[in-house]
Amino acid sequence: MTPIAIEATALTKTFRSTAAVTDLSLSVPAGTVLALLGPNGSGKTTTVRMLATLLKPTSGTARIAGLDVRTQSREIRRSIGLTGQFTAIDPNLTGRENLLFVARLLGMARAQARRRAEDLLHRFALTEASDRPARTYSGGMSRRLDLASSLLGDPRVLFLDEPTTGLDPIARDHLWNVIQTHVASGCTVLLTTQYLEEADRLADAVVIIDRGRKVAEGTPRKLKELAGNPTLTIRPRDRTEVDRLHDVLLMVAGSESSGADGREVSVHLASEHIAAAIRAVDDAGIGIESISLREPDLDDVFRTLTSREGIR
Amino acid sequence: MTVSTPAQLGRSTSPLRPLSDVGVVVWRHLVQIRHNPEQLIEVAVQPVLFVFLFGIVLAGQMSVGGGDYLTYVVPGLIVQAGVLVTARTAIGLHADVHGGLMQRLQTLPISRLAPLAGRIVADFVMLLWSLLILVATATAIGYRASVTPATVAAVLGVIFTFAFCLSWPAILAALTVRSAESVQAIAFGTMLPLTILSGAFVDTATVPQWLQPIMRWNPVTIATEMLRDLIAGTGVTGSVMPFLLVCAVLVIVFMPLATRAFARER
């Protein structure tokens, strides 16, 4: 049986009178990636900080690799890595010196620290920039250096708190690849993100939290199923036919929700009814300008579950 | 889950661990001088300017009971350097806490106070550098003190002790205040009056009556008098007790508050 690397039971954190996290339970099998997905202020960072021994839970328990976060924090710190929301590097040290600094604090001997730093600089494509002060690095490079230093101790459990927030798409993609490579080597990862795409791309399982509570969990695929049918959008050639198009599609889709924005009509439709819908539109003599079909994504799950608009 | 990681294998369990952690933090602070050598100049500018200001520009206006004003003011300038270094500690600490670095350090298996201790030691190295510049500049314009190596060691002991004690209120401010600008404002808003309203540069007997007790009990005055007695070789019986008292009060009041603020959840 796969051991459980991260286990939280009824974890709760209250700041003064505000509940940041309420009754949260998680279970992450070793070697898998869990994405903690939620909007700003939903308690993601507080959860990570409790699991990474930076905050004491108000109640509930958590174990990292079998060790209790309350009583065995020192032991836990030997086997975890954390990349927080703020880049944890010294801008006045070079990339290499930043890694040597953390490696030495992890207790590595000088030669071992040097080897480990070289290895990580190479893996994170930072060798060329390694002798430049980190303040000259781009956002993506700083993030990579930050992640590299959280991997120095070869952690069995890695916490990534919004690792790609603020990065451009190319830098984000690069970082995703780096994370995936590392996960392939057997590390357990807990990742927080506001980006549904990121959870979809990296995670084996997703827990959605809102206002400090778990609102859903499952594989990205299961959660997509929860979001329901794909969305079919048709734009008529003649804008005056939007209402008639709407009626035709509603007949095929039944009571399923639909929407028209004056130029096009969207309906949620089970995949097997799509052909029939398009045929019905054609039979009604409505000229079609374009058709698009969108598979439900985690965004839809999110919207359904948290009933908040404009989260993306 | 019985696989040992390389980091664990390489980890020593020696009782000297905390010391070597502090050493690594000191290395962090000093190695960056290599990339930023202007730091050395920044730290040196202040003592040079003040030695010129008090030793040359104002010296003609100052009379201190017939004695040489330069001889009178150098101990005051040494204490001022010790006060200024605490601002450096506070501003640097604030940046670490509000950037992500302190969080990373707190997830490492090291003593919680090692990052703080390492910073203080590194700042003392910078203080030593600024004192060297101070004394060299003063000597260049005619300052002479006949002191033994033992006296030099005692002077350094006094100024480091004083800076250490005074850094606790500075650290407390750095940990309680939100913005970096406020830390600077607090640092200079307290340090300026602390050094100006003291006996570092003037004889406290020459100011209005009502101001005298304030200036006399100012820690800067007390530390300066301790140094004056040490350097003059006149014996420290009168100044050592107030000095120790001031240091003890600073540490007893501010160290628990500061360490608690440091350990507090953020």
Side-chain angles (χ1 to χ4, degrees):
Chain A
M1 212 186 87
T2 327
I4 301 299
I6 304 172
E7 182 156 46
T9 313
L11 212 52
T12 298
K13 181 71 193 181
T14 311
F15 293 108
R16 292 195 180 88
S17 59
T18 331
V21 173
T22 310
D23 215 14
L24 186 71
S25 296
L26 300 169
S27 176
V28 189
T32 68
V33 181
L34 176 81
L36 205 53
L37 186 63
N40 265 329
S42 55
K44 301 189 298 289
T45 299
T46 306
T47 305
V48 165
R49 289 171 58 79
M50 282 192 279
L51 295 175
T53 75
L54 291 172
L55 274 184
K56 288 239 178 297
T58 309
S59 67
T61 57
R63 292 183 165 273
I64 306 297
L67 301 163
D68 190 317
V69 291
R70 285 173 198 274
T71 57
Q72 293 169 295
S73 54
R74 213 159 229 272
E75 291 84 342
I76 289 176
R77 285 175 198 159
R78 279 177 204 158
S79 49
I80 61 169
L82 167 69
T83 297
Q85 281 183 51
F86 298 102
T87 315
I89 54 180
D90 185 333
N92 295 316
L93 294 181
T94 65
R96 178 179 284 107
E97 285 164 352
N98 263 292
L99 294 183
L100 288 176
F101 173 50
V102 174
R104 298 281 285 140
L105 289 180
L106 280 164
M108 289 183 214
R110 207 161 277 146
Q112 190 193 4
R114 210 158 269 286
R115 266 199 312 276
R116 197 82 186 107
E118 290 314 321
D119 174 39
L120 282 160
L121 286 168
H122 178 72
R123 267 165 58 194
F124 284 73
L126 289 167
T127 307
E128 220 168 290
S130 61
D131 287 322
R132 264 169 36 206
R135 61 169 179 271
T136 65
Y137 284 17
S138 69
M141 287 164 79
S142 299
R143 268 295 172 187
R144 261 153 42 217
L145 180 61
D146 194 15
L147 187 58
S149 64
S150 70
L151 294 179
L152 275 166
D154 224 344
R156 284 182 281 175
V157 176
L158 183 63
F159 297 100
L160 302 173
D161 193 7
E162 304 204 2
T164 63
T165 298
L167 291 188
D168 63 64
I170 295 168
R172 178 183 297 179
D173 209 63
H174 191 129
L175 201 68
W176 280 350
N177 285 330
V178 167
I179 294 169
Q180 277 176 323
T181 312
H182 192 74
V183 169
S185 71
C187 182
T188 308
V189 177
L190 189 141
L191 165 97
T192 79
T193 183
Q194 300 188 50
Y195 303 109
L196 308 146
E197 192 192 353
E198 188 160 86
D200 201 5
R201 162 98 178 249
L202 296 174
D204 300 301
V206 179
V207 165
I208 300 182
I209 64 171
D210 189 40
R211 298 184 184 95
R213 288 174 187 278
K214 176 156 71 179
V215 291
E217 68 180 315
T219 60
R221 213 178 116 211
K222 231 169 104 185
L223 289 172
K224 278 189 198 170
E225 278 166 20
L226 209 119
N229 290 322
T231 310
L232 174 72
T233 303
I234 297 180
R235 178 180 289 214
R237 216 174 282 140
D238 182 354
R239 276 173 74 169
T240 61
E241 292 204 291
V242 163
D243 288 340
R244 206 157 67 83
L245 175 64
H246 195 184
D247 294 339
V248 171
L249 285 175
L250 265 187
M251 269 188 345
V252 184
S255 58
E256 280 248 39
S257 65
S258 61
D261 74 346
R263 302 186 65 173
E264 56 188 29
V265 181
S266 299
V267 285
H268 296 296
L269 209 56
S271 309
E272 60 268 29
H273 293 142
I274 287 167
I278 294 171
R279 215 176 301 124
V281 174
D282 196 35
D283 288 349
I286 301 169
I288 297 173
E289 185 179 301
S290 67
I291 297 177
S292 69
L293 187 65
R294 190 175 61 83
E295 288 295 324
D297 60 13
L298 287 167
D299 214 356
D300 294 305
V301 187
F302 214 114
R303 219 168 269 136
T304 323
L305 291 169
T306 64
S307 56
R308 279 192 195 177
E309 293 301 319
I311 269 149
R312 188 165 222 132
Chain B
M1 306 277 280
T2 51
V3 191
S4 296
T5 67
Q8 283 173 302
L9 292 174
R11 212 188 146 73
S12 79
T13 46
S14 133
L16 292 176
R17 245 337 272 191
L19 270 186
S20 88
D21 288 340
V22 172
V24 174
V25 179
V26 174
W27 172 83
R28 169 209 164 190
H29 289 293
L30 295 184
V31 77
Q32 42 188 276
I33 294 172
R34 257 205 337 236
H35 318 298
N36 234 351
E38 59 270 25
Q39 277 187 46
L40 288 178
I41 297 168
E42 274 167 40
V43 172
V45 164
Q46 202 109 24
V48 172
L49 278 180
F50 274 91
V51 169
F52 272 98
L53 176 66
F54 286 101
I56 296 176
V57 180
L58 297 176
Q61 304 286 314
M62 303 298 218
S63 71
V64 278
D68 171 39
Y69 183 65
L70 189 60
T71 307
Y72 181 82
V73 84
V74 164
L77 293 171
I78 291 176
V79 172
Q80 187 193 35
V83 174
L84 287 174
V85 81
T86 63
R88 186 185 167 83
T89 306
I91 291 165
L93 180 66
H94 187 272
D96 272 2
V97 169
H98 288 264
L101 196 59
M102 196 54 82
Q103 175 165 301
R104 157 87 25 90
L105 295 180
Q106 286 177 346
T107 60
L108 296 176
I110 58 171
S111 151
R112 273 181 99 82
L113 288 177
L116 202 52
R119 173 175 289 283
I120 292 174
V121 173
D123 285 341
F124 278 10
V125 174
M126 294 307 262
L127 172 60
L128 192 62
W129 164 248
S130 82
L131 291 179
L132 265 173
I133 298 289
L134 196 162
V135 172
T137 317
T139 306
I141 63 166
Y143 177 70
R144 294 292 175 269
S146 52
V147 287
T148 61
T151 312
V152 173
V155 167
L156 288 178
V158 166
I159 190 61
F160 284 161
T161 305
F162 184 64
F164 176 78
C165 299
L166 201 62
S167 61
W168 292 106
I171 288 168
L172 178 65
L175 292 170
T176 8
V177 167
R178 199 157 285 266
S179 79
E181 288 76 20
S182 317
V183 179
Q184 298 219 358
I186 291 179
F188 294 106
T190 50
M191 281 171 191
L192 230 54
L194 208 56
T195 47
I196 291 173
L197 298 180
S198 78
F201 313 125
V202 295
D203 184 347
T204 51
T206 63
V207 301
Q209 202 82 48
W210 60 270
L211 195 56
Q212 286 189 16
I214 298 175
M215 284 178 69
R216 246 181 233 137
W217 280 103
N218 181 337
V220 172
T221 308
I222 289 169
T224 305
E225 271 159 13
M226 172 88 213
L227 283 189
R228 271 187 196 128
D229 287 352
L230 261 180
I231 295 170
T234 52
V236 293
T237 36
S239 49
V240 71
M241 282 319 285
F243 177 72
L244 292 179
L245 186 70
V246 154
C247 288
V249 168
L250 284 171
V251 169
I252 290 168
V253 173
F254 290 103
M255 194 159 146
L257 289 173
T259 45
R260 211 176 63 190
F262 187 66
R264 192 190 52 211
E265 300 178 338
R266 274 178 286 271

